[in-house]
Amino acid sequence: MTKIGLVGLGKMGISHFSIANADPRAEIIICDASGYMLDTIKKYTGCTAYKSFDTMLEKEDLAAVIIATPSRLHAPMVRAALEKGLHVFCEKPFCLDPAESAALAKLAADKGLITQVGYHYRYVGAFQEMKRIIDSGAIGTVTHILAEAYGPVILKPKGKTWRTDRAEGGGCLYDYAAHPINLLNWYFGEPDRADGTILAPIFSADTDDEVYSTLTWNDGTSAHVSVNWSDESYRKMSTKISITGTKGRINADRQECQTYLRETTDALPEYEQGWNVRYTTDLTQEVAFYLRGEEYSAQMYDFISAVVGDGGNPVNDFASATQTDRTMAMMITDHQSAPTTKRAAPLVAKKKRSWLGR
């Protein structure tokens, strides 16, 4: 079996561990600062465990690492792994400084290493179908996009954690808005301008709970980003992309891809004039191990397959994630340069926090 290290045993780290550990091609070595987490997982799985990332890299003959730590730790950990010649899967966002993102993407490319960043929506069948339709030209010239994400994450003032501190890589922009922005980058590339960006608190004291911005490309295409993670009307995170073109429109979310065509086209012979609906359940390939959603398993299976030389074609490499990091940085710069009336953030009790993974 191929040895793969995993650092960070928080929410996403535990998910990635469960999926990767179920793959018979991989032996997972775990690392975290929490002795309790390490002891518990080691007890029930028998995995080798480390408290130090550097020690794990030094002592284990790893082929790859999975990094699921708080965002501010991504860059130094990714660099350490790449310099050891290891393939890397890193949770999103890739890096908080897009200059670091670009440097690490170049380092990985120069070394010929496999890289992946955890933007799992690219593995959702409905969003994959949306890309296929866009690329076919069936809806003509795209004129405008609405990229949305809403969910009930922060619903009241609460103590401080790394997820509620923008300097640590927390907040609605990095945690929620990054997903629809990454889909925009996948579909249309990197935008050239951000205007009217709002990064506003609702309940948080140190970061944004809602994100709004207009992105434009030099070819005239525009997109409006509308994201709020303090929206109790949604049971869980909901991401939706709506695209308007000269010959039709497409709406896609986690459940389905709806396409309206003004006329039939040879590029999509299975699609009729008018409305067409394709459901994610029909568009998604079965995965060997299901946890939370097929897309989480599919992205990890793709990464491990590429690492062990068994096919695999990761679609979220460091270069593409760098586009998303630069887009978010551009939005932050626009927000900081614009005179705005700031909403007063609530006062909350400060809470001691640790470096534990997500």
Side-chain angles (χ1 to χ4, degrees):
M1 289 192 292
T2 299
K3 284 189 176 182
I4 298 176
L6 187 151
V7 57
L9 292 170
K11 182 183 75 172
M12 291 309 303
I14 287 291
S15 295
H16 292 321
F17 169 76
S18 299
I19 294 166
N21 196 51
D23 194 316
R25 302 168 298 176
E27 177 187 350
I28 308 303
I29 313 297
I30 56 175
C31 176
D32 195 271
S34 169
Y36 173 77
M37 291 299 297
L38 293 178
D39 291 343
T40 301
I41 294 177
K42 185 177 180 180
K43 176 181 178 180
Y44 289 103
T45 68
C47 289
T48 302
Y50 292 88
K51 272 196 169 184
S52 165
F53 182 64
D54 291 336
T55 302
M56 180 179 71
L57 294 186
E58 179 184 347
K59 290 190 174 183
E60 294 292 339
D61 184 20
L62 301 175
V65 293
I66 299 166
I67 297 174
T69 57
S71 305
R72 68 177 175 84
L73 298 173
H74 289 178
M77 287 184 164
V78 167
R79 179 171 292 279
L82 293 178
E83 289 177 346
K84 292 278 288 185
L86 304 182
H87 308 295
V88 181
F89 178 105
C90 182
E91 250 308 321
K92 64 85 191 163
F94 179 27
C95 299
L96 302 182
D97 180 351
E100 285 186 314
S101 306
L104 293 172
K106 183 179 185 304
L107 177 61
D110 289 345
K111 287 179 170 287
L113 296 170
I114 296 159
T115 61
Q116 174 111 329
V117 175
Y119 286 110
H120 59 269
Y121 278 107
R122 293 195 185 190
Y123 284 88
V124 172
F127 292 121
Q128 291 176 334
E129 181 71 355
M130 174 174 265
K131 178 166 176 57
R132 187 176 78 91
I133 296 168
I134 295 167
D135 292 347
S136 76
I139 64 166
T141 301
V142 172
T143 58
H144 187 70
I145 311 102
L146 175 60
E148 303 172 273
Y150 308 105
V153 177
I154 305 296
L155 299 178
K156 61 182 179 181
K158 60 194 302 184
K160 186 176 181 179
T161 71
W162 77 265
R163 284 184 178 276
T164 59
D165 185 346
R166 186 184 298 167
E168 297 281 327
C172 186
L173 175 63
Y174 287 124
D175 204 291
Y176 253 49
H179 283 294
I181 292 168
N182 180 260
L183 288 173
L184 291 177
N185 295 146
W186 192 31
Y187 296 153
F188 306 107
E190 198 172 335
D192 299 291
R193 181 170 172 171
D195 293 290
T197 303
I198 297 172
L199 305 174
I202 298 175
F203 299 111
S204 296
D206 298 310
T207 193
D208 45 274
D209 294 323
E210 56 184 355
V211 176
Y212 307 103
S213 185
T214 299
L215 305 177
T216 54
W217 286 256
N218 286 340
D219 65 0
T221 305
S222 64
H224 183 69
V225 177
S226 176
V227 181
N228 184 325
W229 73 351
S230 297
D231 191 337
E232 194 176 9
S233 67
Y234 288 83
R235 183 177 64 85
K236 60 181 182 179
M237 183 179 185
S238 176
T239 299
K240 182 178 180 180
I241 306 291
S242 303
I243 299 175
T244 303
T246 55
K247 295 182 180 179
R249 67 174 294 130
I250 322 171
N251 306 319
D253 58 17
R254 177 65 182 76
Q255 286 71 44
E256 62 187 19
C257 180
Q258 304 171 342
T259 306
Y260 181 86
L261 297 181
R262 295 180 62 186
E263 57 189 33
T264 59
T265 172
D266 292 340
L268 296 174
E270 71 277 27
Y271 276 67
E272 301 176 349
Q273 183 180 10
W275 282 107
N276 301 262
V277 180
R278 298 291 185 272
Y279 298 101
T280 289
T281 49
D282 299 323
L283 296 167
T284 302
Q285 293 184 351
E286 187 175 347
V287 294
F289 182 83
Y290 180 92
L291 180 72
R292 300 181 68 187
E294 290 90 351
E295 60 271 24
Y296 294 96
S297 297
Q299 69 171 354
M300 188 57 64
Y301 184 86
D302 223 8
F303 176 70
I304 293 175
S305 294
V307 168
V308 302
D310 187 22
N313 181 32
V315 296
N316 301 303
D317 65 10
F318 284 178
S320 70
T322 298
Q323 290 187 330
T324 303
D325 289 347
R326 280 197 294 254
T327 302
M328 291 189 290
M330 182 168 58
M331 293 167 62
I332 293 172
T333 299
D334 175 60
H335 169 72
Q336 292 173 339
S337 65
T340 58
T341 301
K342 294 185 178 180
R343 181 186 302 131
L347 295 175
V348 297
K350 290 189 175 182
K351 182 180 178 181
K352 184 179 179 181
R353 57 190 175 84
S354 72
W355 74 280
L356 294 183
R358 54 187 81 226

